[in-house]
Amino acid sequence: MMEIPGYDGHPLVHEPELLQEPLFWLGHLYSCAHDEDAEELLFGADYEAAEVFHRELRERAEWPVFTIPLAAGHLLHVVYRAWKDDPGVDYLLHHPSWERALLLAKVDGHFMGPALSWLELFSAVDNGLPGGSTADPHRRLLLLPALGDDNIPDDAEHRLMAALSVLTAIEAPEELAAALVEGQGAGGASLWTSRNGVRVDDGAYSYRNPSNGFALTPEDLARVSTAFMP
């Protein structure tokens, strides 16, 4: 069992081996498929197999956790919350010097986020730091459900297509990549700006939008920006 400070009392288990399973990625990306055409491109003939795989994942006693190391010792944890009545995926940021982890996004029936801009996602993908669940850029890139950013890099679609081609058996990765980039993660597009070096967004359900009553504190917003610094 592993522990994430501030996220206590849950049966967390580090399970990087799940990232080798093609069916895992289909369910993981489901929240990014915003229409029937995108769903068809994502699941194809594997819909029933992916459904069974993720139902069994949600019904397990343990909650799988994947971790990506970030700048200056920060860690991004992706937790598969396997509550029977409230399953979902939580994205948490932590540093060994902090008393508790910061919740950045929740991907479930009541989405909260986004957690990341494109710039920050690519920073996590490309930093090459050891010690997490995977150093593979393709697997890291498919943190996509936590993304929301209308400023799309020129190579975003190509990089996502490459990841889909390597990690899944999807028949039309180029078409799916285009649909997922257009859909902009689980929560849709968000506008990111920088205020005194702190990146914030305008999402109505974002912990990183200081206008929201439930937003992170100014100190914590600065901490998050530091963690994802390229």
Side-chain angles (χ1 to χ4, degrees):
M1 293 293 179
M2 64 177 293
E3 295 183 0
I4 300 175
Y7 195 82
D8 304 317
H10 306 305
L12 307 178
V13 179
H14 185 223
E15 290 199 55
E17 59 272 16
L18 283 174
L19 305 182
Q20 310 296 325
E21 172 55 61
L23 290 176
F24 168 79
W25 296 109
L26 303 187
H28 181 73
L29 293 171
Y30 172 69
S31 62
C32 302
H34 294 297
D35 56 44
E36 291 184 3
D37 291 340
E39 287 185 22
E40 178 61 28
L41 288 168
L42 177 62
F43 290 107
D46 291 323
Y47 178 85
E48 290 186 3
E51 184 180 37
V52 170
F53 181 90
H54 274 267
R55 182 172 65 247
E56 292 176 350
L57 189 63
R58 293 192 301 268
E59 291 175 351
R60 295 171 52 176
E62 301 86 9
W63 295 12
V65 181
F66 318 113
T67 299
I68 293 179
L70 303 174
H74 296 87
L75 297 171
L76 179 64
H77 298 294
V78 184
V79 180
Y80 261 70
R81 180 176 5 105
W83 268 330
K84 181 177 180 180
D85 298 325
D86 186 26
V89 184
D90 294 336
Y91 292 79
L92 302 111
L93 178 67
H94 187 245
H95 188 274
S97 66
W98 300 354
E99 293 184 0
R100 59 179 179 82
L102 302 177
L103 179 62
L104 301 185
K106 296 169 57 178
V107 179
D108 53 24
H110 305 282
F111 174 79
M112 298 293 292
L116 305 168
S117 66
W118 278 108
L119 177 68
E120 293 168 333
L121 175 60
F122 284 168
S123 174
V125 168
D126 296 332
N127 65 37
L129 294 170
S133 301
T134 178
D136 177 23
H138 294 315
R139 289 176 172 82
R140 290 189 177 193
L141 182 60
L142 295 185
L143 284 167
L144 191 71
L147 171 79
D149 184 357
D150 62 1
N151 185 18
I152 303 172
D154 292 339
D155 60 344
E157 192 172 311
H158 175 77
R159 294 186 65 169
L160 183 56
M161 178 194 69
L164 293 169
S165 298
V166 170
L167 299 178
T168 75
I170 290 167
E171 294 184 359
E174 185 173 1
E175 293 180 50
L176 179 59
L180 295 181
V181 168
E182 181 181 2
Q184 285 296 297
S190 189
L191 176 64
W192 291 84
T193 56
S194 183
R195 303 179 184 179
N196 299 319
V198 177
R199 285 184 298 278
V200 298
D201 77 305
D202 66 348
Y205 304 103
S206 174
Y207 297 111
R208 298 184 67 184
N209 179 355
S211 298
N212 292 332
F214 50 82
L216 296 172
T217 66
E219 179 184 8
D220 286 340
L221 289 171
R223 286 175 167 178
V224 177
S225 291
T226 298
F228 288 103
M229 187 176 298

